[in-house]
């Protein structure tokens, strides 16, 4: 069982962006799943959770990722895992699942679920790209939540903006050993 800190000040004020990680540290997959489970509680517009995670934690996967993160090759080579966060511009396709889970967990009444499905899903389906792009920008709290949750587990992170944005999502081929969470 990992040691988790609940000291908010420690988590927020002692978080650092690391450029070179300790290569002897490996985050167990079970722990990575716990971190991601907590991360996805971050707020999102109308609870559509328009994010998808790809965790690259094998050397083979990191080798495949290397050409796309050339400006951040040290982080890729030394980190326990690279967590890629993709915006989902079609998150409404999971609306029934998302809202159904909220009903099952007692967080949303069935009638609210039905109202959300009948109004939000058509709105998202008919929204132009620019509108959907603005909506998914509201998922940025998810990125920061990931860094804070990782810190609460004793891990530091580094947000990477230097990657080949136009190529990476189209060319991403996962290895069997890498985790893929959608």
């Amino acid at each position: 069982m990992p040691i988790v800190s609940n000291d908010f000040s420690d988590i927020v004020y002692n978080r650092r962006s690391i450029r070179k990680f300790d290569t002897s540290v490996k985050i167990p997959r079970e722990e990575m799943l716990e971190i991601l489970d907590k991360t996805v509680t971050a707020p999102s517009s109308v609870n559509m959770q328009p994010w998808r995670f790809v965790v690259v934690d094998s050397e083979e996967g990191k080798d495949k990722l290397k050409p796309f993160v050339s400006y951040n090759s040290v982080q890729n080579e030394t980190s326990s895992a690279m967590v890629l966060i993709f915006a989902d511009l079609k998150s409404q396709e999971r609306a029934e699942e998302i809202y159904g889970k909220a009903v099952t967990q007692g967080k949303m009444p069935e009638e609210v679920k039905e109202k959300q499905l009948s109004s939000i899903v058509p709105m998202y389906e008919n929204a132009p790209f620019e509108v959907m792009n603005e909506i998914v920008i509201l998922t940025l709290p998810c990125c920061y939540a990931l860094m804070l949750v990782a810190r609460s587990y004793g891990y530091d992170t580094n947000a990477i903006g230097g990657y080949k944005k136009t190529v990476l999502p189209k060319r991403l081929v996962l290895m069997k050993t890498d985790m893929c969470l959608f």
Side-chain angles (χ1 to χ4, degrees):
M1 182 77 169
I3 297 172
V4 180
S5 170
N6 289 318
D7 182 340
F8 185 76
S9 292
D10 174 56
I11 293 167
V12 172
Y13 295 120
N14 291 321
R15 195 202 77 71
R16 300 284 179 261
S17 288
I18 305 300
R19 302 297 189 267
K20 185 176 181 183
F21 295 90
D22 179 348
T23 56
S24 69
V25 173
K26 296 295 176 203
I27 302 173
R29 286 193 174 181
E30 182 178 295
E31 205 168 355
M32 179 63 77
L33 287 171
E34 286 177 25
I35 290 169
L36 293 173
D37 282 344
K38 291 178 180 180
T39 296
V40 298
T41 64
S44 64
S45 180
V46 296
N47 197 31
M48 272 295 115
Q49 305 168 14
W51 44 65
R52 301 295 169 260
F53 297 95
V54 175
V55 179
V56 182
D57 63 352
S58 71
E59 291 308 312
E60 186 179 14
K62 287 173 151 189
D63 284 345
K64 285 192 171 259
L65 191 58
K66 189 175 186 174
F68 305 108
V69 296
S70 56
Y71 301 113
N72 297 284
S73 59
V74 173
Q75 292 95 320
N76 184 49
E77 291 167 9
T78 62
S79 67
S80 177
M82 296 285 281
V83 180
L84 290 70
I85 304 175
F86 293 95
D88 181 0
L89 296 174
K90 296 184 181 231
S91 59
Q92 73 277 2
E93 292 175 357
R94 295 184 57 236
E96 177 70 44
E97 174 191 343
I98 291 166
Y99 293 145
K101 185 177 178 181
V103 170
T104 302
Q105 294 175 342
K107 297 177 180 175
M108 176 186 288
E110 181 71 33
E111 55 274 8
V112 172
K113 171 192 151 192
E114 294 306 322
K115 183 178 179 185
Q116 296 285 80
L117 289 173
S118 67
S119 62
I120 292 168
V121 171
M123 179 182 71
Y124 272 47
E125 285 175 347
N126 296 309
F129 171 81
E130 295 78 20
V131 171
M132 288 307 296
N133 198 44
E134 287 177 19
I135 289 170
V136 298
I137 286 173
L138 296 174
T139 67
L140 292 176
C142 175
C143 301
Y144 194 51
L146 174 61
M147 291 185 276
L148 294 177
V149 172
R151 176 70 185 144
S152 78
Y153 277 73
Y155 302 113
D156 280 310
T157 57
N158 180 269
I160 294 176
Y163 60 93
K164 295 181 181 175
K165 295 167 183 66
T166 58
V167 181
L168 183 59
K170 295 177 180 119
R171 296 235 182 124
L172 185 66
V173 178
L174 296 174
M175 309 309 329
K176 287 185 231 174
T177 54
D178 294 322
M179 293 177 16
C180 182
L181 308 160
F182 285 93

